[in-house]
Amino acid sequence: MKKISSHEIALSALACAVATIFLTVGIYSAVLLFTGYLFAGIALMMPLAKQSYRGYVLAYLATCILALIFNASGFIDLLPFIMFFGLHPLVNELQLKVKINRWLACGIKAVWFDSTMYVIWRFVFAMTTTIPFVDQYIFYIILIFGTIMFVGYDYLMYKWRFAVNMLVKRIIGK
């Protein structure tokens, strides 16, 4: 097992701090919730820029715990991050490392995303909705629009991965 360097520890701690801040701001401002997920996921890419999977997992777990501590009443708002958005950068990195076909991987990740959105819908929104059409066809709505949204999100995250890798390379210089 590779020994973790001080740079990787610092990147993991920085990623955890920044991701926790973005999640906290997102939860306190409902308008910025998805933006909080997005930027927290981008922040968690920092350890992955140095191929530190252990650093990523520890930063992810610490981010989830700290976000829960700071936003205990917002657990439901954190659920999409815990189930999907926080793990997505790691899955993308592992996909590239293992060299899985990108279309197959995109399909699998889209099913994962759609499943997460469906679970969130059923546990959070289904109890409060007053629109029968949405309740009746939510599976198909998520399947179509969720998949379209995910493909754009996945593409955007790959672009951000490149930017984060370049930023970390400039900061550390290696």
Side-chain angles (χ1 to χ4, degrees):
M1 183 177 277
K2 180 179 124 180
K3 186 175 179 182
I4 192 164
S5 73
S6 60
H7 291 293
E8 293 171 51
I9 293 170
L11 277 175
S12 299
L14 181 62
C16 174
V18 173
T20 303
I21 289 168
F22 281 127
L23 283 177
T24 301
V25 169
I27 288 171
Y28 285 131
S29 171
V31 174
L32 298 175
L33 185 58
F34 182 76
T35 306
Y37 298 153
L38 176 69
F39 287 129
I42 292 168
L44 285 175
M45 289 181 192
M46 286 189 270
L48 293 176
K50 297 303 287 177
Q51 301 297 310
S52 177
Y53 300 106
R54 184 173 36 176
Y56 177 88
V57 169
L58 292 174
Y60 165 76
L61 291 173
T63 297
C64 292
I65 291 168
L66 288 172
L68 283 171
I69 289 170
F70 295 147
N71 310 294
S73 63
F75 172 73
I76 296 299
D77 292 332
L78 284 172
L79 204 52
F81 181 81
I82 293 168
M83 290 177 65
F84 178 79
F85 293 101
L87 296 171
H88 182 254
L90 178 62
V91 171
N92 279 352
E93 197 68 32
L94 292 174
Q95 171 195 342
L96 294 174
K97 182 178 182 181
V98 178
K99 295 182 172 77
I100 297 173
N101 179 295
R102 69 178 173 186
W103 296 109
L104 175 65
C106 186
I108 292 169
K109 291 184 292 185
V111 168
W112 175 32
F113 177 79
D114 292 344
S115 300
T116 300
M117 293 302 109
Y118 185 75
V119 166
I120 299 302
W121 174 264
R122 281 292 163 215
F123 285 129
V124 178
F125 299 111
M127 295 176 271
T128 60
T129 186
T130 58
I131 307 169
F133 173 80
V134 172
D135 285 338
Q136 186 177 1
Y137 295 106
I138 190 62
F139 177 78
Y140 301 107
I141 293 169
I142 290 174
L143 187 65
I144 294 167
F145 295 108
T147 302
I148 292 169
M149 188 178 103
F150 170 74
V151 171
Y153 173 79
D154 196 44
Y155 176 78
L156 178 68
M157 291 306 278
Y158 276 113
K159 293 298 181 186
W160 273 106
R161 177 188 172 274
F162 177 75
V164 169
N165 286 352
M166 297 308 293
L167 177 68
V168 169
K169 187 175 179 180
R170 290 178 109 189
I171 290 172
I172 294 180
K174 292 181 184 177

